[in-house]
């Protein structure tokens, strides 16, 4: 089963993708995580996209399609969760093409609906584990022991360079201009399922499970 999690910055895509990985053994493909990894490992591409990401703009279709193509070629039985990809109509067309070339198809597109007003609080309180990727929040999901990851015990807890109010404004604008048209595109294809992303994490997860049943 291959699915897309679609929603604005802070909608909870990464949080729900990690649950689906744990519960169903699916593979999370987050283009945001891949790009951040390219930055920390100092690749030429990583250096090229750093300023674009920090400003909250989208990197080019060519770069992210290349990253996804590489992963899909590796294949996997339980299916992929596309998290933060596709983000443009060009990327959506490329994904169709890549899946069909690999004899696979898209099962569902989960739209995570949230209000912009909730996003500032979610983004400004977020931190993640640099070692295992667990996602936390200062108020809604703090670590049990301050400074230590609950999941793996690492003390490498990080905040993202683009998690500030200025970049968030640009990220939201990019979402409405370039990514939200995908809602209509997938609705027309009959693939769209919408869930209320403002509920607590457990309820969102159970609504996603119901949408995939
Ligand atoms: P990316 O990393 O994809 O960031 P994003 O889309 O802005 O989304 P986020 O990761 O910020 O939010 P999320 O929905 O994953 O929320 P999370 O679960 O963490 O992309 C970053 C950048 O990379 C882009 O701006 C662009 O430059 C580039 N890029 C990436 N993909 C690209 C592409 N395809 N094309 C071009 N450029 C690309 O949750 C957020 C917080 O809320 C956490 O603290 C969490 O604990 C909390 N939370 C989650 N769910 C709930 C809930 N139900 N209730 C309360 N709190 C919650
Ligand atoms: Mg994310």
């Amino acid at each position: 089963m291959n699915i897309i999690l679609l929603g604005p910055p802070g909608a909870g895509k990464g949080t729900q993708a990690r649950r689906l990985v744990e519960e169903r053994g699916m593979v999370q493909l987050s283009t945001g995580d891949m790009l951040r990894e390219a930055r920390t490992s100092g690749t030429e591409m990583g250096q090229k996209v750093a300023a674009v990401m920090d400003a909250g703009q989208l990197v080019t279709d060519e770069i992210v399609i290349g990253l996804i193509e590489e992963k899909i070629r590796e294949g996997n039985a339980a299916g992929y969760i596309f998290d933060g990809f596709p983000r443009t109509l060009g990327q959506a067309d490329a994904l169709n093409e890549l899946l069909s070339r690999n004899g696979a198809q898209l099962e569902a597109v989960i739209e995570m609906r949230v209000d912009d007003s909730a996003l500032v609080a979610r983004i400004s309180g977020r931190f993640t584990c640099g070692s295992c990727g667990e996602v936390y929040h200062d108020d809604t999901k703090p670590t049990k022991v301050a400074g230590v990851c609950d999941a793996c015990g690492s003390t490498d807890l990080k905040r993202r360079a683009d998690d500030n109010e200025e970049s968030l404004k640009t990220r939201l604008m990019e979402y409405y201009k370039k990514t939200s048209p995908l809602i209509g595109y997938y609705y027309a294809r009959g693939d769209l399922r919408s869930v209320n992303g403002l509920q607590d994490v457990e309820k969102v997860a159970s609504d996603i499970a119901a949408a995939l049943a």
Side-chain angles (χ1 to χ4, degrees):
M1 174 158 63
N2 298 303
I3 67 167
I4 294 173
L5 295 181
L6 183 64
K13 304 181 294 291
T15 300
Q16 296 297 331
R18 287 182 65 82
R19 288 186 66 118
L20 289 162
V21 168
E22 267 173 42
E23 288 163 11
R24 301 179 183 233
M26 296 171 78
V27 172
Q28 175 188 12
L29 294 184
S30 158
T31 39
D33 287 349
M34 291 178 210
L35 291 165
R36 280 184 289 278
E37 210 175 290
R39 289 177 61 163
T40 44
S41 57
T43 64
E44 198 185 318
M45 182 270 280
Q47 286 167 355
K48 214 165 86 182
V49 299
V52 176
M53 289 178 78
D54 290 352
Q57 289 155 350
L58 294 189
V59 309
T60 64
D61 283 356
E62 196 191 356
I63 288 177
V64 288
I65 292 166
L67 289 170
I68 290 287
E69 187 171 13
E70 230 172 83
K71 296 286 180 188
I72 288 188
R73 250 196 259 122
E74 293 167 9
N76 117 76
Y80 294 110
I81 307 152
F82 296 98
D83 159 8
F85 178 89
R87 261 174 150 100
T88 64
L89 289 165
Q91 292 177 24
D93 285 339
L95 179 61
N96 288 341
E97 155 88 29
L98 282 173
L99 287 174
S100 65
R101 213 193 295 158
N102 288 278
Q105 59 182 29
L106 200 57
E107 219 65 40
V109 177
I110 307 285
E111 180 206 357
M112 304 182 64
R113 277 184 287 105
V114 283
D115 288 338
D116 287 3
S117 57
L119 299 178
V120 179
R122 283 202 188 174
I123 292 287
S124 53
R126 172 174 49 194
F127 58 99
T128 52
C129 174
S131 179
C132 73
E134 188 65 20
V135 186
Y136 294 98
H137 190 279
D138 292 326
D139 306 321
T140 58
K141 196 190 167 191
T143 52
K144 291 193 180 93
V145 178
V148 182
C149 175
D150 296 349
C152 75
S154 167
T155 52
D156 182 22
L157 300 173
K158 294 178 169 166
R159 292 187 193 263
R160 275 168 45 178
D162 60 344
D163 276 353
N164 58 74
E165 228 168 300
E166 199 51 41
S167 296
L168 179 61
K169 264 189 219 152
T170 309
R171 283 156 69 192
L172 277 173
M173 202 55 87
E174 291 280 79
Y175 177 78
Y176 289 118
K177 271 198 298 200
K178 298 173 185 167
T179 308
S180 66
L182 296 182
I183 295 168
Y185 171 88
Y186 286 117
Y187 173 77
R189 284 175 38 132
D191 294 329
L192 196 73
R193 321 260 186 280
S194 294
V195 301
N196 176 3
L198 287 172
Q199 309 171 100
D200 64 45
V201 173
E202 296 300 322
K203 183 71 174 87
V204 176
S206 67
D207 284 3
I208 291 176
L212 295 177

